Amino acid sequence: MFKTKKIEDLNIPQHIAIILDGNGRWAKKRHMPRTYGHQKGTENIKTIAIAASKMGIKALSVYAFSTENWSRPDDEVSFLMKLPGEFEARFKDEFKKHDIKVMFSGRKTHLSKENLEILERITEKTKERQGLVLNICFDYGSRAEITEAIKIIAKKVEDKQIKIEEIDESMVEDNLYTRELPKLDLLIRPSGEIRLSNFLLWQAAYAELYFCETYWPDFNESELMKAIVSYNNRDRRFGGLKNK
């Protein structure tokens, strides 16, 4: 455990997001196929979700599969599409024990019928839980999310349910996948890359950003604690000035 601060002395972010990056490079360093890295990365979702739950974090959004990931080699995509079923089979008891609710953010138009049924089943079985909300962003892209929200609002205008002048930021937020989650406080990207890669662009407008060199399969509770300590050292003004 990272010893610089005690968890009880810290301001705990309500909503943390993590880009699950570095699985392939982690596997390559071990002379293993990229799919081995994705396997270990999936297992680490459980580890970090449980750690976040114990820390008192309310919501954890993880970038598991992007709208751009379909362009990867067919064998890698095929492997990744098997992960929802494995996720359900392996982690359901652990998540039940920690009262973790699971939701999914992303497009539903490109997934197989089998995977859609798995996602719906997990969502239904965990919807009444009161602990951490684990938001798995699967076939997710922020531009697609915002575009979908615009279409929903435009249809309401077309149907004369609302007037154009009634459209504001709150209405946009109410039509995003994350509308039921707390505002995003902290966005973490492991692996050494320093970009958002089309992840939670609207939500990250005033989130704190944290980048580290650790590949996702090695990102543990200690690394999460380091990110939270860094978050506590930020001066969050949201565009304004603090009172003297």
Side-chain angles (χ1 to χ4, degrees), residues 78-112:
S78 296
F79 178 85
L80 291 168
M81 287 300 108
K82 295 176 183 176
L83 292 180
E86 183 173 332
F87 183 91
E88 179 186 33
R90 295 186 60 187
F91 304 148
K92 60 183 179 182
D93 292 336
E94 284 289 325
F95 286 160
K96 182 179 181 180
K97 183 166 65 176
H98 292 277
D99 203 29
I100 293 174
K101 175 180 177 178
V102 183
M103 61 175 280
F104 295 90
S105 294
R107 302 182 303 186
K108 302 296 187 289
T109 53
H110 290 58
L111 300 178
S112 68

Side-chain angles (χ1 to χ4, degrees), residues 34-44 79 83 86 90:
R34 288 176 58 84
T35 51
Y36 179 70
H38 291 307
Q39 180 74 50
K40 291 299 182 181
T42 300
E43 293 173 6
N44 202 34
F79 178 85
L83 292 180
E86 183 173 332
R90 295 186 60 187

Side-chain angles (χ1 to χ4, degrees), residues 45-55 94-95 98 100 132:
I45 295 175
K46 179 196 74 171
T47 302
I48 296 302
I50 292 172
S53 177
K54 290 178 178 178
M55 290 179 180
E94 284 289 325
F95 286 160
H98 292 277
I100 293 174
L132 171 85

Side-chain angles (χ1 to χ4, degrees), residues 3 16 19 22 24 26 38 68 72 107 132 135 166 192 198 213 223:
K3 299 295 185 181
I16 291 179
I19 298 173
W26 181 89
H38 291 307
E68 289 75 32
R72 292 191 175 187
R107 302 182 303 186
L132 171 85
N135 174 36
E166 294 176 323
N198 197 21
E213 299 291 330
E223 293 291 336

Side-chain angles (χ1 to χ4, degrees), residues 197-211:
S197 296
N198 197 21
F199 185 48
L200 299 179
L201 301 181
W202 177 285
Q203 296 86 340
Y206 277 104
E208 298 299 323
L209 308 181
Y210 178 86
F211 302 96

Side-chain angles (χ1 to χ4, degrees), residues 102-142:
V102 183
M103 61 175 280
F104 295 90
S105 294
R107 302 182 303 186
K108 302 296 187 289
T109 53
H110 290 58
L111 300 178
S112 68
K113 180 181 178 183
E114 179 184 8
N115 270 336
L116 285 173
E117 289 175 351
I118 291 170
L119 303 191
E120 290 172 3
R121 189 162 58 240
I122 294 173
T123 301
E124 180 65 25
K125 286 183 177 179
T126 67
K127 68 179 183 180
E128 301 299 332
R129 294 180 187 169
Q130 300 299 309
L132 171 85
V133 178
L134 174 60
N135 174 36
I136 301 177
C137 299
F138 197 75
D139 198 15
Y140 173 90
S142 191

